[in-house]
Amino acid sequence: MNDILPWLYDSLIALTLLWIAWQTLSTRDLFKAVLLFIVFGLLMALAWVRLQAPDLALAEAAIGAGLTGALLLDAVGHLRVPRRPGPRK
Amino acid sequence: MTGGLFYAITGVLLFCLGLYGFIQHAHLLRRILAFNIMGSGCFLVLVGLAQRGGQVDPVPHALVLTGIVVAVSATAFALILMRQLYVESGHCTLPGEDEES
Amino acid sequence: MTRTLIALLCLGLAGMLGWALWQLPGDVGLKSDLQSELQGQVQADIVGLPALVAAHLDQSGVRHPVTAVLLNFRAYDTLLEIGVLLLAVLGVLAVRHAAAPEPVHPQRAGAVLAALVHLAVPLMVLVAGYLLWAGAHQPGGAFQAGAVLAGAGVLLRLSGRLPALLPPGFWLRAGLLLGFAVFLVIALGVTRGGHELLAYPVQQAGGLILAIEASLTLSIGLILVSLFVGAPSPPEHGGEASE
């Protein structure tokens, strides 16, 4: 039982990572994609903890989920401002 | 199979998933997201592979730490280029690519 | 059609890479059967990196192996990395200056955000300081501390207070450059004492690393905030308090 539990945990994290990544890339809504990507960053932080890399978990939670999330959300907000498509050169 | 190798193989799958998304999408923001997912996959391979013997290896930890910071700066720069493109042209795709997704 | 082809190619790549990882031999340098085959010099050559780091940790000036690798054993990588960050900021500033000047409309923050900023920002600065200090002996260090500082900066920016606190100009540029400059000066300075580039004298290593990390924290925080602030504003309703 004690051998199974870590494996279960690892598989759960890995499968969720892959599932969230797939959803991030396939969802039609840009805003939703960005939110899912932030969740992806937090899950990566969990994976780093499982790999006994607390430094990476700290950095990933602060940078990967926090700062990248803020940058991406800002960009999505910018793209929502309607803008007349100009002629393509 | 050890935990490290397991995460390395997860990283390979993430990398290929990101690669597929990167080729598939024309929208630049989605490409940036896909590129970041590819990067995360690489990081998992680096750290996971070094620890497949079960021993913690601080060297790839340090390399990946730098990698995470460089990735966020590259992402910020890419986002700003994309926003400037949007301001100038009103499109979020590169010229010559259709805006289907 | 192309879509399926791309998917198949990516799947094939995943399969090949996964197979390659699976085929790799186990932990070189730790397996006893391998070690018994190799002897003398060869055996000493294949000692794993973790053992190498652990063996030299007491000469690095810090007690946390990841910090030791980042700022002592592989300090060259970190020096170049802060250079890359500076280049990214230069690119952002170049794009912003190339763009047409934007009208300035100061944005008012809501009461909740203003209160949150009041409470959170001093705490975040405190946490950043702690992380910087903790990096010497436990997980933490300049990058995490810089990221937390940058988070505080983003909060300030969202509440519209940053332009007042951080006017662009000489001091901002000096702050952006500080980490790289201090790192480079110390890297070159130790060569005058007969050491190689970035090879700190063992006695002063701890102090030098702390000086580098403190300046790196400040610069990384400023650089990350500048990357966030430097974005061009939506054209239709003007820029929000940029510059």
Side-chain angles (χ1 to χ4, degrees):
Chain A
M1 187 61 204
N2 277 339
D3 277 352
I4 295 287
L5 216 55
W7 271 110
L8 215 67
Y9 196 45
D10 283 345
S11 336
L12 202 63
I13 290 177
L15 286 179
T16 323
L17 266 177
L18 289 168
W19 173 246
I20 298 277
W22 174 249
Q23 286 295 310
T24 304
L25 294 174
S26 63
T27 181
R28 311 230 24 101
D29 187 5
L30 265 184
F31 182 66
K32 202 172 151 192
V34 167
L35 284 191
L36 283 167
F37 184 75
I38 296 173
V39 174
F40 178 83
L42 291 172
L43 276 169
M44 281 296 290
L46 270 187
W48 295 131
V49 172
R50 289 295 300 161
L51 281 167
Q52 298 170 51
D55 291 87
L56 294 180
L58 272 175
E60 184 81 42
I63 296 177
L67 272 177
T68 313
L71 281 167
L72 288 168
L73 285 176
D74 201 36
V76 169
H78 183 186
L79 297 187
R80 286 204 168 169
V81 177
R83 173 136 185 102
R84 205 160 21 87
R88 313 266 356 206
K89 281 157 236 164
Chain B
M1 186 160 76
T2 56
L5 189 58
F6 178 69
Y7 276 105
I9 287 177
T10 309
V12 164
L13 292 177
L14 276 178
F15 178 85
C16 293
L17 200 61
L19 184 65
Y20 175 68
F22 189 79
I23 299 174
Q24 188 60 49
H25 289 298
H27 195 292
L28 288 174
L29 186 67
R30 289 178 187 279
R31 283 201 170 167
I32 293 171
L33 287 179
F35 196 71
N36 270 296
I37 288 175
M38 283 168 74
S40 294
C42 282
F43 296 155
L44 274 181
V45 172
L46 254 175
V47 173
L49 211 52
Q51 292 182 188
R52 65 189 189 281
Q55 195 186 13
V56 177
D57 189 348
V59 178
H61 289 192
L63 296 185
V64 169
L65 194 55
T66 19
I68 289 175
V69 180
V70 168
V72 73
S73 67
T75 304
F77 189 40
L79 281 172
I80 279 164
L81 287 180
M82 180 197 78
R83 290 167 73 156
Q84 197 60 41
L85 182 74
Y86 184 66
V87 168
E88 305 266 339
S89 73
H91 292 278
C92 268
T93 54
L94 292 177
E97 292 188 326
D98 50 341
E99 239 167 317
E100 34 103 30
S101 55
Chain C
M1 184 54 214
T2 19
R3 197 173 274 229
T4 338
L5 193 65
I6 294 168
L8 280 178
L9 280 176
C10 286
L11 263 179
L13 182 67
M16 268 161 56
L17 285 174
W19 184 75
L21 292 195
W22 190 266
Q23 291 298 310
L24 279 175
D27 217 348
V28 184
L30 290 174
K31 286 273 160 60
S32 54
D33 55 331
L34 196 62
Q35 274 189 344
S36 62
E37 285 173 26
L38 304 159
Q39 286 168 359
Q41 191 57 43
V42 185
Q43 189 178 340
D45 278 349
I46 58 163
V47 71
L49 283 178
L52 213 57
V53 171
H56 294 88
L57 192 57
D58 52 345
Q59 295 168 25
S60 69
V62 289
R63 275 175 291 149
H64 185 49
V66 176
T67 308
V69 173
L70 263 181
L71 287 150
N72 201 333
F73 303 148
R74 298 290 311 164
Y76 201 58
D77 293 345
T78 314
L79 178 63
L80 293 183
E81 183 238 359
I82 186 79
V84 169
L85 284 182
L86 267 182
L87 281 180
V89 162
L90 276 182
V92 167
L93 292 180
V95 170
R96 188 168 58 160
H97 282 300
E102 297 152 352
V104 178
H105 294 291
Q107 197 184 22
R108 288 262 150 196
V112 177
L113 181 59
L116 175 75
V117 168
H118 256 294
L119 284 174
V121 168
L123 264 181
M124 287 171 93
V125 173
L126 192 68
V127 168
Y130 171 72
L131 278 175
L132 171 65
W133 182 251
H137 52 89
Q138 67 189 61
F143 294 105
Q144 291 90 340
V148 172
L149 265 192
V154 169
L155 266 183
L156 282 174
R157 157 76 174 168
L158 290 177
S159 68
R161 282 161 195 251
L162 195 61
L165 289 176
L166 200 70
F170 174 75
W171 288 108
L172 177 62
R173 286 177 202 177
L176 291 176
L177 203 60
L178 180 74
F180 189 64
V182 168
F183 210 153
L184 201 59
V185 164
I186 290 180
L188 291 174
V190 292
T191 58
R192 286 188 63 89
H195 295 267
E196 288 184 18
L197 186 72
L198 282 168
Y200 321 124
V202 177
Q203 284 83 22
Q204 288 109 43
L208 290 179
I209 287 178
L210 189 65
I212 293 174
E213 279 208 289
S215 48
L216 276 186
T217 302
L218 191 68
S219 284
I220 289 173
L222 279 177
I223 287 172
L224 291 176
V225 174
S226 304
L227 289 176
F228 182 74
V229 174
S233 306
E236 244 72 346
H237 60 77
E240 349 147 307
S242 59
E243 289 276 58

